[in-house]
């Protein structure tokens, strides 16, 4: 699973091949995550003429933590280089820029689904649904290559729901396999309100944490092996000494939003954030 994801650079943001779309197309709201308000379609004042961030090395101290935990899953370069054939949003009329900015969030959602589907196909326990997952992967990839006007008309929510049915079944199969190996562990905590929860050392092997709110939760030393992490809010959660080996549907933005230590164990599909205590 981890090698399958790690070997797909097209599902990771490549700013060098993007026209700074996340810094223009998306809105910012002044908050703990962003130091200023910015409407959708207006370039961030920190964006340079080369489409690179002028304060990238200082985003956190300057109040732009939200930028450090964002990932387009490769949608930026897909829209820039494929959908619009390498034509810069600055180089055409306003309508050209608007179409590009409208396409970007749609493709971003589709690329996130590609990430989950690719990971699911690497989970042996999900074998019974692999044929359906492959079809969904192929269909989703085709959708990412639609023309701008077709992307604008796409019912992304309906497609997400179809894919989610397969991902739910994947989760059930993987966690059932984990429960068989952990004597029945693996509670269903989908959508649970666990803000600030004291889960130090908790045995969460095979648990479903889909959509759970774990903001500022203490997960120090928790065992999260084979846990379903899709959509879990890990902002400021403490993962010091936690074991997430084999945790699935865990994305880089989730990990970047959390806190961790030198021995926090992560799946190979994500990288250790630079702001964490480095591994020894």
């Amino acid at each position: 699973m981890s090698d399958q994801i790690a070997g797909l650079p097209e599902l990771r943001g490549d700013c060098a091949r993007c026209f700074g779309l996340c810094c223009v197309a998306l809105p910012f709201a002044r908050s703990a995550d962003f130091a200023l308000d910015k409407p959708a379609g207006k370039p961030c004042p920190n964006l340079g003429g080369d489409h690179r961030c002028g304060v990238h090395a200082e985003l956190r101290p300057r109040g732009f933590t939200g930028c450090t935990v964002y990932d387009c899953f490769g949608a930026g370069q897909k829209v820039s280089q494929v959908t619009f054939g390498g034509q810069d949003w600055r180089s055409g009329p306003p309508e050209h820029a608007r179409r590009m900015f409208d396409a970007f969030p749609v493709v971003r959602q589709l690329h996130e689904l590609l990430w989950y589907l690719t990971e699911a196909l690497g989970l042996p326990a999900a074998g019974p649904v692999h044929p359906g997952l492959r079809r969904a992967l192929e269909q989703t990839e085709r959708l990412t290559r639609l023309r701008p006007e077709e992307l604008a008309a796409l019912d992304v929510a309906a497609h997400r729901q179809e894919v989610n049915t397969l991902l739910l079944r994947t989760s059930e199969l993987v966690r059932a396999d984990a429960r068989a190996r952990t004597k029945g562990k693996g509670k269903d905590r989908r959508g649970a309100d666990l803000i600030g929860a004291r889960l130090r050392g908790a045995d969460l092997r095979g648990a479903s944490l889909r959509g759970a709110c774990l903001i500022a939760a203490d997960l120090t030393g928790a065992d999260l092996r084979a846990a379903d992490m899709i959509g879990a809010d890990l902002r400021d959660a403490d993962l010091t000494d936690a074991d997430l080996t084999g945790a699935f549907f865990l994305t880089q933005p989730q990990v970047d939003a959390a806190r961790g230590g030198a021995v926090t164990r992560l799946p190979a599909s994500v990288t250790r954030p630079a702001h964490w205590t480095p591994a020894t």
Side-chain angles (χ1 to χ4, degrees):
M1 175 271 295
S2 57
D3 290 342
Q4 199 158 350
I5 288 289
L8 289 176
E10 65 268 27
L11 295 183
R12 298 182 184 275
D14 183 353
C15 296
R17 298 172 58 213
C18 177
F19 297 137
L21 295 183
C22 64
C23 305
V24 186
L26 305 180
F28 302 164
R30 185 187 294 271
S31 63
D33 294 323
F34 296 102
L36 50 81
D37 292 316
K38 186 194 81 65
K42 180 180 179 180
C44 173
N46 296 315
L47 185 67
D50 60 354
H51 304 297
R52 306 304 288 269
C53 176
V55 297
H56 187 267
E58 303 174 342
L59 284 170
R60 285 182 176 271
R62 285 176 176 263
F64 291 92
T65 301
C67 298
T68 69
V69 301
Y70 179 80
D71 189 349
C72 71
F73 295 96
Q77 63 258 31
K78 172 68 75 63
V79 173
S80 297
Q81 304 301 328
V82 178
T83 311
F84 286 87
Q87 186 178 9
D88 186 342
W89 54 268
R90 287 188 171 108
S91 64
E95 177 61 20
H96 167 74
R98 186 192 64 77
R99 291 166 68 233
M100 182 174 282
F101 300 155
D102 287 346
F104 172 64
V106 175
V107 177
R108 195 271 182 190
Q109 291 187 66
L110 295 173
H111 266 235
E112 183 179 8
L113 293 178
L114 288 175
W115 174 282
Y116 293 136
L117 288 165
T118 301
E119 182 171 5
L121 280 166
L123 298 170
V129 292
H130 278 181
L133 290 167
R134 288 192 191 93
R135 289 192 294 271
L137 182 71
E138 292 167 1
Q139 180 188 12
T140 304
E141 173 59 31
R142 285 196 298 271
L143 291 176
T144 69
R145 296 179 179 276
L146 292 175
R147 296 190 299 273
E149 59 272 19
E150 294 173 320
L151 287 168
L154 181 64
D155 189 344
V156 184
H159 183 65
R160 288 188 72 100
Q161 185 57 46
E162 292 176 7
V163 171
N164 191 51
T165 299
L166 290 167
L167 298 180
L168 276 169
R169 181 57 180 151
T170 296
S171 177
E172 291 166 358
L173 290 166
V174 175
R175 292 188 304 106
D177 181 65
R179 286 196 298 272
R181 293 182 282 104
T182 57
K183 299 181 180 179
K185 300 290 183 181
K187 294 182 179 180
D188 188 342
R189 299 194 179 192
R190 282 183 291 179
D193 183 354
L194 298 170
I195 297 177
R198 298 177 181 177
L199 296 168
R200 179 182 291 260
D203 187 348
L204 295 168
R205 287 175 293 173
S208 175
L209 293 168
R210 296 173 66 90
C213 189
L214 289 155
I215 297 174
D218 182 3
L219 289 160
T220 304
D223 192 340
L224 291 152
R225 287 177 291 174
D228 181 352
M229 304 299 294
I230 196 168
D233 192 338
L234 296 174
R235 283 177 293 169
D236 206 33
D238 192 347
L239 297 175
T240 301
D241 298 336
D243 188 353
L244 291 96
T245 307
F248 58 102
F249 298 151
L250 179 70
T251 65
Q252 194 65 48
Q254 288 172 293
V255 176
D256 289 344
R259 293 179 288 128
V263 296
T264 301
R265 281 142 289 183
L266 295 169
S269 55
V270 295
T271 58
R272 185 174 300 273
H275 65 280
W276 283 18
T277 303
T280 56

